[in-house]
Amino acid sequence: MNLSRTSAGINDAPGLLYAGFNQDYGCFAIGLDTGFRVYNCHPLINQAKNESDDGGIGLVEMLYRTNYLALVGGGRNPRYPPNKVIIYDSIKAKPVFELEYKNYKYKKRIYPIFYLYIYIYLYRLTVVLQNKVFVYHFSLPPQLLHKFETCDNEKGLAAVSTSSSHAILIIPGRQKGQLQIIDLNSLGYYISVGESDHNGPPALPPLLTSESTNSATSLSNNNHSNGNGINGNTRRSINVSIIPAHTGKLSCLSLNQDGSRCATTSDKGTLIRVYNTATCALLHELRRGVDRAEIYAIAFNQESTRLCISSDKGTIHIFNLDPSVVTHMDHKPRGPTYGEVVTYPTQSPSNYGLTNSGNRGSAFSFMKDLLPKYFSSEWSFANAKIPTESRCLVAFGEQKNSIIAICADGTCYKYYFDPRNGGECTRESFERFLKD
């Protein structure tokens, strides 16, 4: 959640520039105008910090719970130039290497790099610019595997799966509303299943742990390969699929852990669509609401049976994706059965029953062939309300049936939801990780 790219709220904590979870949602990092901090989620503990008057950090990306972080300068006094990615070793308290991105030509004009986002997953380093995406093999020096074109991507939208056997990257397409699904293993440097630990974070890249690196290595994007293959000598067959996900511009993306499912929303923020990344088939279309909203985060649970989102409405929504998780079936799904005498409902459409997936549905859903698509929508199974309606990130917690929200006002909320009946979540705890 890059707080500097969206309008600030009246309750925002001063000096907070960025907040983001690590790959397994067990930790989160924040960027400040004085540096950065890393917190453990369960319990909420400040594990590491690097703060000084040297300047601000606008982006912090963690590599699981390792000592490597990717940093980009930010704020009024950036610690590093905003067009550089710094790979930082928190144990040695110094940069390992940096990547610099100079101005580049786009549509026959020179555009400065104002938008720079970073993602680290396994042995891949992904750098997202306003309309380009660079994918590197995470080593020293980093090897450029490929670069992709996108439409204007001011939010730096991208997501990478954490599975080594099914490494998937999703980014916006070249046209508005399109989604690109990229098989990262088709780019080269294939990582076998045996090279990662499925019960925890993967082994560190061996080239980065070498003691021979005594100082940071500076690299310019102009000195890398041309993106057609390793060293630019051979062209590889890249596995890329295109999905026309929405008619409007994409606003948020997410992948489940094994890369088999992805979720998207548009700038309208009313519908969340879930796709199969292998077949590009639409699996679910979920409705957040009818009013336009900005979606801040989408997260799958570990089993990919549920999905949660947060928006600028101050509400967290939880959806069921697998009917098998619905254990309470006393509520029959809406709709008549064969031979049943139908009495047309007199209730308003705001009264909901449960659909076959366990989500709420309209009371008029049995007339979905006659009524607009709205009446066949699936609404959230459970929800939680952020009291201050602050901008927040949300994820499923380590405890069963729990969710965690990290808010721009420097607070952290933990909620539990009823897996049988859904409805309003119960607030378990409230803590302030960043005081005024």
Side-chain angles (χ1 to χ4, degrees):
M1 179 171 59
N2 194 333
L3 303 177
S4 63
R5 302 300 186 200
T6 56
S7 56
I10 58 174
N11 298 316
D12 285 1
L16 180 61
L17 304 176
Y18 178 85
F21 287 102
N22 70 341
Q23 288 81 1
D24 60 11
Y25 302 114
C27 298
F28 68 93
I30 61 173
L32 304 166
D33 54 10
T34 56
F36 67 86
R37 296 181 188 177
V38 176
Y39 292 88
N40 185 70
C41 292
H42 314 283
L44 184 65
I45 299 175
N46 187 353
Q47 289 189 314
K49 66 178 181 178
N50 185 306
E51 296 182 61
S52 66
D53 295 331
D54 294 339
I57 300 297
L59 286 170
V60 187
E61 177 72 9
M62 301 176 63
L63 178 58
Y64 289 87
R65 293 174 180 265
T66 68
N67 53 306
Y68 293 113
L69 300 98
L71 309 176
V72 176
R76 296 182 178 180
N77 178 32
R79 178 175 299 188
Y80 306 107
N83 66 332
K84 285 187 178 182
V85 174
I86 308 297
I87 301 301
Y88 187 85
D89 187 334
S90 60
I91 293 180
K92 298 180 179 180
K94 66 178 183 180
V96 178
F97 68 82
E98 62 186 44
L99 297 169
E100 181 179 3
Y101 297 86
K102 299 179 181 179
N103 296 348
Y104 62 93
K105 292 184 179 181
Y106 176 64
K107 294 182 180 179
K108 298 182 180 180
R109 292 180 59 187
I110 300 296
Y111 280 69
I113 304 301
F114 291 122
Y115 308 105
L116 187 62
Y117 297 82
I118 41 181
Y119 303 86
I120 313 175
Y121 290 84
L122 290 174
Y123 286 68
R124 297 290 184 263
L125 171 65
T126 303
V127 180
V128 182
L129 277 58
Q130 186 171 354
N131 39 56
K132 287 183 184 292
V133 175
F134 294 84
V135 180
Y136 300 89
H137 179 63
F138 192 43
S139 60
L140 185 63
Q143 299 293 321
L144 178 64
L145 300 180
H146 206 79
K147 54 185 176 183
F148 300 91
E149 301 281 347
T150 68
C151 60
D152 283 345
N153 186 15
E154 297 90 350
K155 292 185 177 181
L157 300 181
V160 188
S161 66
T162 58
S163 170
S164 58
S165 59
H166 193 212
I168 298 295
L169 166 68
I170 58 173
I171 57 176
R174 296 187 180 185
Q175 303 296 324
K176 181 179 67 174
Q178 285 185 349
L179 178 72
Q180 297 187 67
I181 301 176
I182 302 162
D183 180 3
L184 289 178
N185 284 331
S186 68
L187 303 182
Y189 285 105
Y190 176 78
I191 306 302
S192 65
V193 177
E195 294 185 43
S196 64
D197 180 5
H198 291 286
N199 296 320
L204 292 179
L207 292 181
L208 277 180
T209 58
S210 173
E211 295 297 334
S212 62
T213 57
N214 297 320
S215 60
T217 301
S218 178
L219 299 171
S220 170
N221 63 319
N222 295 327
N223 297 327
H224 301 156
S225 68
N226 59 14
N228 296 328
I230 302 172
N231 299 327
N233 296 325
T234 59
R235 297 186 65 87
R236 308 186 65 91
S237 177
I238 309 300
N239 187 0
V240 180
S241 301
I242 305 295
I243 295 178
H246 298 269
T247 56
K249 193 172 184 179
L250 298 179
S251 66
C252 196
L253 306 176
S254 181
L255 271 168
N256 64 347
Q257 289 190 1
D258 63 10
S260 62
R261 303 287 186 269
C262 67
T264 66
T265 61
S266 71
D267 53 4
K268 191 174 181 181
T270 55
L271 294 176
I272 304 98
R273 293 191 171 118
V274 180
Y275 293 92
N276 184 314
T277 58
T279 65
C280 299
L282 176 63
L283 302 178
H284 304 276
E285 184 174 272
L286 311 169
R287 180 171 290 277
R288 179 210 56 82
V290 294
D291 298 329
R292 181 179 291 271
E294 181 177 0
I295 305 298
Y296 293 134
I298 309 175
F300 290 87
N301 66 349
Q302 187 173 4
E303 300 79 17
S304 303
T305 55
R306 288 191 168 101
L307 186 77
C308 63
I309 70 165
S310 60
S311 71
D312 61 355
K313 301 298 182 182
T315 304
I316 299 169
H317 295 275
I318 302 173
F319 298 88
N320 287 324
L321 302 179
D322 188 344
S324 65
V325 301
V326 184
T327 58
H328 184 62
M329 297 305 295
D330 294 338
H331 298 283
K332 184 174 62 176
R334 294 285 183 178
T337 59
Y338 179 77
E340 181 181 354
V341 177
V342 177
T343 302
Y344 288 98
T346 58
Q347 299 172 326
S348 67
S350 60
N351 294 320
Y352 301 97
L354 290 179
T355 66
N356 289 326
S357 298
N359 296 314
R360 294 182 299 155
S362 169
F364 293 125
S365 61
F366 68 93
M367 300 175 61
K368 61 183 180 181
D369 294 334
L370 303 176
L371 296 175
K373 192 175 182 179
Y374 166 86
F375 293 97
S376 60
S377 297
E378 292 196 37
W379 300 70
S380 59
F381 164 75
N383 61 84
K385 188 70 175 178
I386 301 297
T388 60
E389 297 188 2
S390 297
R391 294 173 291 171
C392 71
L393 293 177
V394 64
F396 288 92
E398 291 182 357
Q399 283 76 21
K400 192 174 182 180
N401 305 324
S402 69
I403 55 174
I404 295 177
I406 299 171
C407 302
D409 60 359
T411 58
C412 179
Y413 294 86
K414 182 177 180 179
Y415 296 90
Y416 281 99
F417 61 90
D418 187 336
R420 295 169 59 87
N421 301 314
E424 189 74 21
C425 296
T426 302
R427 193 174 82 179
E428 173 68 16
S429 63
F430 160 79
E431 297 181 79
R432 183 173 293 277
F433 63 86
L434 188 62
K435 299 181 180 180
D436 293 342

